Amino acid sequence: HRHLLGIEGLQPTDISALLDLSENAIEVSRQVEKKLSTLRGRTQINLFFEASTRTQSSFELAGKRLGADVMNMSVASSSVKKGETLVDTAATLNAMRPDIIVVRHHAAGAVQLLARKVGCSVINAGDGAHEHPTQALLDALTIRRHKGSLQGLIVAICGDVLHSRVARSNLLLLHAMGARVRLCGPSTLMPAGVERLGCDVFRSMKDALDGADVVMMLRLQRERMHAALIPSTREYFRYYGLDAAKLAYAKPDALVMHPGPMNRGVEIDPEVAESTQSVINEQVEMGVAVRMAVLDALAHHLPNGDAAPGSSE
Ligand code: CP
């Protein structure tokens, strides 16, 4: 693959290979000297049209740990603000001869469009409610390290599924790897007909969490809702917020996950987020490793891009 646009299109063998490569990247990241030369001389541009803490900073660190020159394009102070279109922005950046562009955009499909307009590799860092493939990969890596395998696990994904690219990419990945996915949330925040994707859909957290191996909470994405449709925090937390009482329905060793950023007291009780079952900070560490693995894998497909010595593969 020249690009990573989504989990859709990846085979289980591709996913396993990326997770295996990520294990090497964890080792590198835990050393005092963290630098490889896989992307030495290469240019990576991070182009984020939406806010990000985890994804942007981990892509920056991942690129730097592989030796790339990383440029963070500041969209807020760019000519996008003067009305330059996505396609014109892409053509402008392409003329500067980057090797990899990492893109986050509020519109589903925008990253695919951009990939058709540039000559370099493109990585989707989240496009609208469509996909966030590196999030699903880092979640899978976190789960695999705790549970050994994804095959046969019951994973409950709960909350604002409607607006969640994280849920969609996770659903695709988890199904590909043989896990069973349960979705849970109010009907107003559940995509119509999502059962057709082969998951079980629940309205009640008690039913959704019963015997689950993993409980993945989603952020209530209020910024994507009409003001009149935003649920009250108190009511939402009562029915859909993960507290100790609801978590008790899951297996005693169930993992608690959240992609971040968290709304404490909305979709998750702070005590649960900080409990021994929570792997939320570990997900962040895995994020750097997975992004190193993705960049490393793409490096082998860059023009004239045989990996330099020091590659972690
Ligand atoms: N999980 C995630 O994508 O977080 P950021 O929005 O902070 O990148």
Coordinates of all heavy atoms in Angstrom, one line a residue, residues 34-78:
K34 N 16.3 7.2 21.0 CA 15.1 6.7 20.3 C 15.1 6.8 18.8 O 14.1 6.6 18.2 CB 13.9 7.5 20.9 CG 13.7 7.3 22.4 CD 12.6 8.2 22.9 CE 12.2 7.9 24.3 NZ 13.3 8.2 25.3
K35 N 16.2 7.1 18.2 CA 16.2 7.5 16.8 C 16.7 6.4 15.9 O 17.8 5.8 16.1 CB 17.1 8.7 16.7 CG 16.7 9.6 15.5 CD 16.7 11.0 15.9 CE 16.3 11.9 14.7 NZ 15.7 13.1 15.1
L36 N 15.9 6.1 14.8 CA 16.3 5.3 13.7 C 16.5 6.1 12.5 O 16.2 7.3 12.5 CB 15.2 4.2 13.5 CG 14.9 3.3 14.7 CD1 13.7 2.3 14.3 CD2 16.1 2.5 15.0
S37 N 16.9 5.5 11.4 CA 17.1 6.3 10.2 C 16.3 5.9 9.0 O 16.6 6.2 7.9 CB 18.6 6.2 9.8 OG 19.0 4.9 9.7
T38 N 15.2 5.1 9.3 CA 14.3 4.6 8.2 C 13.9 5.8 7.3 O 13.8 5.6 6.1 CB 13.1 4.0 8.8 OG1 13.5 3.2 9.9 CG2 12.3 3.2 7.8
L39 N 13.5 6.9 7.8 CA 13.0 8.0 7.0 C 14.0 9.2 6.9 O 13.6 10.3 6.7 CB 11.7 8.5 7.6 CG 10.5 7.6 7.5 CD1 9.3 8.2 8.2 CD2 10.1 7.3 6.0
R40 N 15.3 8.9 7.1 CA 16.3 9.9 7.0 C 16.3 10.6 5.6 O 16.2 9.9 4.6 CB 17.7 9.3 7.2 CG 18.8 10.4 7.3 CD 20.1 9.8 7.7 NE 20.5 8.7 6.8 CZ 21.3 7.7 7.1 NH1 21.8 7.6 8.2 NH2 21.6 6.8 6.1
G41 N 16.2 11.9 5.6 CA 16.2 12.6 4.3 C 14.8 12.8 3.8 O 14.6 13.5 2.8
R42 N 13.8 12.2 4.4 CA 12.4 12.3 3.9 C 11.7 13.4 4.6 O 12.0 13.8 5.8 CB 11.7 11.0 4.2 CG 12.3 9.8 3.5 CD 12.2 9.9 2.0 NE 12.5 8.6 1.4 CZ 12.3 8.3 0.1 NH1 11.8 9.2 -0.7 NH2 12.7 7.2 -0.4
T43 N 10.7 13.9 4.0 CA 9.9 15.0 4.5 C 8.5 14.6 4.8 O 7.8 14.0 3.9 CB 9.9 16.2 3.5 OG1 11.2 16.6 3.3 CG2 9.1 17.4 4.1
Q44 N 8.0 14.8 6.0 CA 6.6 14.5 6.4 C 5.9 15.8 6.8 O 6.5 16.6 7.6 CB 6.7 13.6 7.7 CG 5.4 13.3 8.3 CD 5.5 12.5 9.6 OE1 6.5 11.7 9.8 NE2 4.6 12.7 10.5
I45 N 4.8 16.0 6.2 CA 4.0 17.2 6.6 C 2.7 16.7 7.3 O 2.0 15.8 6.8 CB 3.5 18.0 5.3 CG1 4.8 18.5 4.6 CG2 2.6 19.1 5.7 CD1 4.4 19.3 3.3
N46 N 2.5 17.3 8.5 CA 1.3 17.0 9.2 C 0.3 18.2 8.9 O 0.6 19.4 9.2 CB 1.5 17.0 10.7 CG 2.4 15.8 11.1 OD1 2.4 14.8 10.4 ND2 3.1 15.8 12.2
L47 N -0.8 17.9 8.3 CA -1.8 18.9 7.9 C -3.1 18.6 8.6 O -3.9 17.7 8.2 CB -2.0 18.7 6.4 CG -3.0 19.6 5.7 CD1 -2.6 21.1 5.8 CD2 -3.0 19.3 4.2
F48 N -3.3 19.3 9.7 CA -4.5 19.1 10.6 C -5.5 20.2 10.5 O -5.2 21.3 11.0 CB -4.1 18.8 12.0 CG -3.6 17.4 12.3 CD1 -2.5 16.9 11.6 CD2 -4.2 16.6 13.2 CE1 -2.0 15.6 11.8 CE2 -3.8 15.3 13.4 CZ -2.7 14.8 12.7
F49 N -6.6 20.0 9.8 CA -7.7 21.0 9.7 C -8.6 21.0 10.9 O -9.5 21.8 11.0 CB -8.5 20.7 8.5 CG -7.8 21.0 7.2 CD1 -7.1 20.0 6.6 CD2 -7.9 22.2 6.5 CE1 -6.4 20.2 5.4 CE2 -7.3 22.4 5.3 CZ -6.5 21.4 4.7
E50 N -8.4 20.0 11.8 CA -9.2 19.9 13.1 C -8.2 19.8 14.2 O -7.1 19.3 14.1 CB -10.1 18.6 13.1 CG -11.4 18.7 12.4 CD -12.2 17.5 12.7 OE1 -11.7 16.4 12.9 OE2 -13.5 17.6 12.6
A51 N -8.7 20.2 15.4 CA -7.9 20.1 16.6 C -7.4 18.7 16.9 O -8.1 17.7 16.6 CB -8.7 20.7 17.8
S52 N -6.2 18.6 17.5 CA -5.7 17.3 17.9 C -4.6 17.5 19.0 O -3.8 18.4 18.8 CB -5.1 16.6 16.7 OG -4.4 15.4 17.1
T53 N -4.6 16.6 19.9 CA -3.5 16.6 20.9 C -2.7 15.3 20.6 O -1.5 15.4 20.2 CB -3.9 16.6 22.3 OG1 -4.6 17.9 22.6 CG2 -2.8 16.5 23.3
R54 N -3.3 14.2 20.8 CA -2.7 12.9 20.7 C -2.1 12.6 19.3 O -1.0 12.2 19.1 CB -3.6 11.7 21.1 CG -3.8 11.6 22.6 CD -5.2 11.2 22.9 NE -6.0 12.3 22.8 CZ -6.3 13.2 23.8 NH1 -6.0 12.9 25.0 NH2 -7.0 14.2 23.6
T55 N -3.0 12.7 18.3 CA -2.7 12.2 17.0 C -1.6 13.0 16.3 O -0.6 12.5 15.8 CB -3.9 12.2 16.1 OG1 -5.0 11.5 16.8 CG2 -3.7 11.4 14.8
Q56 N -1.7 14.3 16.4 CA -0.7 15.2 15.8 C 0.6 15.0 16.5 O 1.7 14.9 15.8 CB -1.1 16.6 15.8 CG -0.1 17.5 15.0 CD -0.7 18.9 14.7 OE1 -1.9 19.2 14.8 NE2 0.2 19.7 14.2
S57 N 0.7 15.1 17.8 CA 2.0 15.0 18.5 C 2.6 13.6 18.3 O 3.8 13.5 18.2 CB 1.8 15.4 20.0 OG 0.8 14.6 20.6
S58 N 1.8 12.6 18.3 CA 2.4 11.3 18.1 C 2.9 11.0 16.7 O 3.9 10.4 16.5 CB 1.5 10.1 18.6 OG 0.3 10.2 17.9
F59 N 2.2 11.6 15.7 CA 2.7 11.5 14.4 C 4.0 12.3 14.2 O 5.0 11.9 13.5 CB 1.7 12.0 13.3 CG 0.9 10.9 12.7 CD1 -0.5 10.8 12.9 CD2 1.5 9.9 11.9 CE1 -1.2 9.8 12.3 CE2 0.8 8.9 11.4 CZ -0.6 8.8 11.5
E60 N 4.1 13.4 14.9 CA 5.4 14.2 14.9 C 6.5 13.4 15.5 O 7.6 13.3 15.0 CB 5.1 15.6 15.6 CG 6.4 16.4 15.6 CD 6.2 17.8 16.2 OE1 5.0 18.2 16.6 OE2 7.2 18.6 16.2
L61 N 6.2 12.9 16.7 CA 7.3 12.1 17.4 C 7.7 10.9 16.6 O 8.8 10.5 16.5 CB 6.8 11.7 18.8 CG 6.8 12.7 19.9 CD1 6.3 12.2 21.2 CD2 8.2 13.3 20.1
A62 N 6.7 10.2 16.0 CA 6.9 9.0 15.3 C 7.8 9.3 14.1 O 8.8 8.6 13.8 CB 5.6 8.4 14.8
G63 N 7.5 10.4 13.3 CA 8.3 10.7 12.2 C 9.7 11.1 12.6 O 10.7 10.6 12.0
K64 N 9.9 11.8 13.7 CA 11.2 12.2 14.2 C 12.0 11.0 14.7 O 13.2 10.9 14.4 CB 11.1 13.3 15.3 CG 10.7 14.6 14.7 CD 10.5 15.7 15.7 CE 10.3 17.1 15.0 NZ 9.9 18.1 16.0
R65 N 11.3 10.1 15.3 CA 12.0 8.9 15.8 C 12.5 8.0 14.6 O 13.5 7.2 14.8 CB 11.1 8.1 16.7 CG 11.1 8.7 18.1 CD 10.2 8.0 19.1 NE 10.1 8.9 20.3 CZ 9.3 8.7 21.3 NH1 8.6 7.6 21.4 NH2 9.3 9.5 22.3
L66 N 11.9 8.2 13.5 CA 12.4 7.4 12.3 C 13.3 8.3 11.4 O 13.7 7.9 10.3 CB 11.2 7.0 11.4 CG 10.3 5.9 12.1 CD1 9.1 5.6 11.2 CD2 11.0 4.7 12.5
G67 N 13.6 9.5 11.9 CA 14.6 10.3 11.2 C 14.1 11.3 10.2 O 14.9 11.9 9.5
A68 N 12.8 11.4 10.0 CA 12.2 12.3 9.0 C 12.3 13.7 9.5 O 12.4 14.0 10.7 CB 10.7 11.9 8.8
D69 N 12.3 14.6 8.5 CA 12.1 16.1 8.8 C 10.6 16.3 8.8 O 9.9 16.0 7.8 CB 12.7 16.9 7.7 CG 14.2 16.8 7.7 OD1 14.8 16.9 8.8 OD2 14.8 16.6 6.6
V70 N 10.1 16.7 9.9 CA 8.6 16.8 10.1 C 8.2 18.3 10.2 O 8.8 19.0 11.0 CB 8.1 16.1 11.4 CG1 6.6 16.1 11.5 CG2 8.6 14.6 11.4
M71 N 7.2 18.6 9.4 CA 6.7 20.0 9.4 C 5.2 20.0 9.8 O 4.5 19.2 9.1 CB 6.9 20.6 8.0 CG 6.7 22.1 7.9 SD 5.0 22.5 7.5 CE 5.1 22.6 5.7
N72 N 4.9 20.7 10.8 CA 3.5 20.8 11.2 C 2.9 22.1 10.6 O 3.3 23.2 10.9 CB 3.4 20.9 12.7 CG 3.6 19.6 13.4 OD1 3.0 18.6 13.1 ND2 4.6 19.6 14.3
M73 N 2.0 21.8 9.6 CA 1.3 22.9 8.9 C 0.3 23.5 9.9 O -0.6 22.8 10.4 CB 0.7 22.3 7.7 CG -0.1 23.2 6.9 SD 1.0 24.1 5.8 CE -0.2 25.3 5.4
S74 N 0.4 24.8 10.1 CA -0.6 25.4 11.0 C -1.7 26.0 10.2 O -1.7 27.1 9.6 CB 0.1 26.6 11.8 OG -0.8 27.3 12.5
V75 N -2.8 25.2 10.1 CA -3.9 25.5 9.3 C -4.6 26.8 9.8 O -5.0 27.7 8.9 CB -5.0 24.4 9.3 CG1 -6.3 24.8 8.6 CG2 -4.4 23.2 8.6
A76 N -4.6 27.0 11.1 CA -5.3 28.2 11.6 C -4.6 29.5 11.1 O -5.3 30.5 10.9 CB -5.2 28.2 13.2
S77 N -3.3 29.5 10.8 CA -2.7 30.7 10.3 C -2.2 30.6 8.9 O -1.3 31.2 8.4 CB -1.5 31.0 11.2 OG -0.6 29.9 11.2
S78 N -2.9 29.6 8.2 CA -2.5 29.4 6.7 C -3.5 30.1 5.8 O -4.5 30.7 6.2 CB -2.6 27.9 6.5 OG -4.0 27.5 6.4

